[in-house]
Amino acid sequence: MQSHPNVRAVQDALDAANARNGSDAPATVRLLPDAVHTAAAAAEALGVDVGAIANSLVFDADGAPLLVLTSGAHRVDTTALATRLAVTRLRRATPQFVKEHTGQVIGGVAPVGHPQPLRTLVDTALDKYDEIWAAGGVPQAVFPTTYAELLRVTGGTPTDVA
C-alpha cells in the first residue's frame, strides 16, 4: 500500500514542503492495519484524542471545491460557514466530486497531494493539540503534523468552523 499512487503523492507533497510532525521530525505517512473511515476509528487506532484528528471534508461551495480540515471532536456548521464565506450553497460533496478534485476517495482524503491546490480552511480547534493526525491519501494511511504545519503546507486559512 505504501506504493499506492495517492500515498506517494501525499508523501511527495509533504517532502516537498519539508513538513514536520509534533517532534519536529519529517512528517511521514504511516499505514494502519485497517482502514479508518471516521475520526473516532482513527483516534482509537492511534491512541489519541478524537479532537486531534484532522478530518478532511470536501464541500461543494457554489460549484467550487472547498477543503475543510476540521477537528474530529465536532461538526462543521455549514450554515454559518456559508454565510461567513458569502456562498449561496455549501454542501457535502458527492464521492465523484471529491475524487475529481482531490484524486482521493472519501475516508482517505489528505490535506495535500491533490492534482491542483484546493481552497482550504483549517479549524482553529486543532491548534490546542501539540500533534494532530491527518489522512494520507487512502483510508488506512495517516500522518502526524502540527496545526502550524497544516496551515503552512496547505496554504489554509485558520477558521472557526463549528
Side-chain angles (χ1 to χ4, degrees):
M1 183 60 63
Q2 191 73 15
S3 64
H4 190 284
N6 289 352
V7 174
R8 280 196 315 271
V10 171
Q11 189 62 62
D12 288 348
L14 294 171
D15 292 346
N18 193 30
R20 313 308 283 181
N21 66 22
S23 301
D24 201 34
T28 303
V29 176
R30 176 199 294 182
L31 296 177
L32 300 172
D34 298 304
V36 287
H37 293 279
T38 66
E44 185 176 331
L46 295 164
V48 300
D49 187 276
V50 70
I53 302 297
N55 278 337
S56 297
L57 304 176
V58 179
F59 290 88
D60 178 334
D62 290 340
L66 173 69
L67 178 60
V68 178
L69 303 173
T70 185
S71 167
H74 60 253
R75 294 185 176 272
V76 173
D77 181 340
T78 55
T79 302
L81 191 56
T83 300
R84 204 170 305 131
L85 297 174
V87 296
T88 306
R89 188 169 170 185
L90 181 69
R91 61 188 170 118
R92 289 292 290 266
T94 65
Q96 297 81 8
F97 188 91
V98 172
K99 179 83 168 158
E100 174 187 344
H101 292 284
T102 68
Q104 302 163 2
V105 297
I106 291 174
V109 174
V112 296
H114 313 130
Q116 300 293 322
L118 299 178
R119 180 179 184 189
T120 302
L121 305 179
V122 182
D123 188 353
T124 55
L126 291 166
D127 191 27
K128 73 178 192 177
Y129 298 96
D130 293 333
E131 187 165 73
I132 55 180
W133 290 83
V138 296
Q140 56 270 56
V142 294
F143 68 92
T145 188
T146 66
Y147 179 73
E149 281 294 271
L150 205 52
L151 287 169
R152 186 180 70 79
V153 302
T154 64
T157 303
T159 307
D160 177 9
V161 302

